[in-house]
Amino acid sequence: MKMIKKERQKRLQDTINNNPFITDEELAEQFQVSVQTIRLDRLELSIPELRERIKNVAEKRFDDEVKSLPIDEVIGEIIDIDLDKNAISIFEVKKEHVFKRNSIARGHHLFAQANSLAVAVINDELALTAKANIHFTRSVKEGERVVAKAKVCDIHNEKDHTIVNVDSFVGNELVFKGEFEMFRNSK
Amino acid sequence: MKMIKKERQKRLQDTINNNPFITDEELAEQFQVSVQTIRLDRLELSIPELRERIKNVAEKRFDDEVKSLPIDEVIGEIIDIDLDKNAISIFEVKKEHVFKRNSIARGHHLFAQANSLAVAVINDELALTAKANIHFTRSVKEGERVVAKAKVCDIHNEKDHTIVNVDSFVGNELVFKGEFEMFRNSK
């Protein structure tokens, strides 16, 4: 009995290290235990709750790192960024972001999160979107938290164009997938 | 001399009939005369100024015609709509829609105008965007007026999917081009 708990806590710690934005509900499902058990495990392991974990990451400021736009013009909150490589942002879907009729998030908000992250990840003063190819793979509902992950795939410096792929998730589910062709210029 | 003016006024009338959203500046350029001349021509022909012309069209209400969403959820102002065929909307690019740094309109606003028009043109209670393939063909600046034209191209009723093409213009210039694959359901 003790062994099982010990092993679960070890795997729990690893899981949270890999994905700090996983919820207690998602962990409970993954480990087939109650949410209460996950909370007790976190207490014993001194792992703060999700809200605290996000706050800890968000306290790191990226103002100086983002070059292509002022950070308050990014839609969503940047959690991690490595210019011309990758970036992560979180966007909380609130009442003002959904269709009144069915509480489904409007596509342009998911697009705005992904597109502004694709701009922010570019290591140049000017970054504009030339083309985008996007898929909405699953409806997002009010109250859900969308984690967007941008990856710079291809830098054609000779053409001043860069491809940025953005995948957005709710939990482990892919909800949006976009390929952005960005025009960039150091002036 | 008189003849030339008469002919210009005739062509002016035709041009405005074809495109009620053309500005005096665009007309002046087209007819190689001053803006003042265009204004005088309009006065003589009793053609109201652009703002009035837009208001006249906008006074027609489309609340009852749009089925897929409440009309206040459309980004931009719907000027014309024929369900499952085509629709037109106008979006004025204001300060809050542009990058502070260069006054260029942010892509997600042009996307939002086009995407919400693609939703509105669908003759069903539920319309969601599945995929989109978009091109930003020319930067749009603060103060410009974007006219989006949606055209329903292909209705695959068996698959509950419909293709809507949206072309957006500033004057005669194409600024945005999008192909939207919409999921639809009469519920």
Side-chain angles (χ1 to χ4, degrees), chain B residues 8 11-12 15 22-38 138 170-173:
Chain B
R8 184 184 64 233
R11 284 174 53 213
L12 186 73
T15 305
I22 195 164
T23 64
D24 286 347
E25 288 72 19
E26 287 162 349
L27 288 164
E29 208 187 301
Q30 189 166 324
F31 290 101
Q32 293 286 304
V33 295
S34 70
V35 172
Q36 187 57 24
T37 303
I38 295 291
R138 185 270 245 180
V170 170
N172 294 319
E173 286 186 87

Side-chain angles (χ1 to χ4, degrees), chain B residues 129-147:
Chain B
T129 312
K131 295 182 191 178
N133 203 324
I134 61 181
H135 291 212
F136 296 93
T137 50
R138 185 270 245 180
S139 299
V140 176
K141 290 275 189 170
E142 186 178 337
E144 290 188 314
R145 177 186 299 108
V146 183
V147 179

